[in-house]
Amino acid sequence: MADVNRGNRPLSPHLQVYRPQLTSITSILTRITGNALIVAALMIVWWLLAASTGPEYFAFANGFVTSWFGDLVMFLSLWALWYHTLAGIRHLIWDNAKMLELDQAEMLGWMVIIGSGVLTVFSVIVLW
């Protein structure tokens, strides 16, 4: 039978019970960056399709992609690409049952965060 008192008690421990951990935040951010990379991919595909459509439409698309907003999207996408790549490497390490201790897992999390920032800045400097 259905529990009639179900509405009077919490269903499960929730966000107000648990303290966010670095490993959980980086895992959630990995999912977010993976989905955000779709936006950049669609923008690049749109730009390529505009190039094949004609010079007027390409000028419009190119103006958008090279605007400050397009530059911002591309910069954040570059960071997301590095972050997602490093987080994937971290998960490959965990899949091999390595560095699963809490202090090692947190160190890997910080390496992903700092490494993605450093690699993004390095990539922008080199590609500039």
Side-chain angles (χ1 to χ4, degrees):
M1 299 306 281
D3 186 2
V4 294
N5 293 323
R6 188 175 181 103
N8 297 333
R9 58 190 167 98
L11 298 177
S12 64
H14 200 256
L15 296 176
Q16 64 265 34
V17 176
Y18 290 118
R19 178 181 62 88
Q21 298 172 345
L22 182 65
T23 52
S24 63
I25 291 171
T26 54
S27 180
I28 292 167
L29 195 54
T30 302
R31 290 170 176 84
I32 292 170
T33 56
N35 289 314
L37 286 171
I38 295 171
V39 174
L42 289 174
M43 194 167 81
I44 292 169
V45 167
W46 173 57
W47 182 78
L48 290 171
L49 286 173
S52 68
T53 302
E56 299 84 20
Y57 191 61
F58 177 70
F60 172 73
N62 192 50
F64 179 81
V65 171
T66 58
S67 70
W68 68 269
F69 183 74
D71 287 342
L72 179 65
V73 168
M74 288 301 186
F75 178 78
L76 292 175
S77 298
L78 181 62
W79 171 78
L81 185 62
W82 280 119
Y83 183 90
H84 202 75
T85 301
L86 293 177
I89 293 169
R90 177 183 67 160
H91 279 278
L92 285 175
I93 292 170
W94 286 346
D95 287 344
N96 288 300
K98 307 285 188 208
M99 302 188 81
L100 293 173
E101 297 296 321
L102 185 59
D103 58 335
Q104 295 172 335
E106 284 198 12
M107 181 188 67
L108 279 177
W110 283 113
M111 288 174 67
V112 168
I113 293 169
I114 294 169
S116 63
V118 169
L119 288 170
T120 301
V121 170
F122 180 72
S123 297
V124 169
I125 290 171
V126 169
L127 296 175
W128 190 264

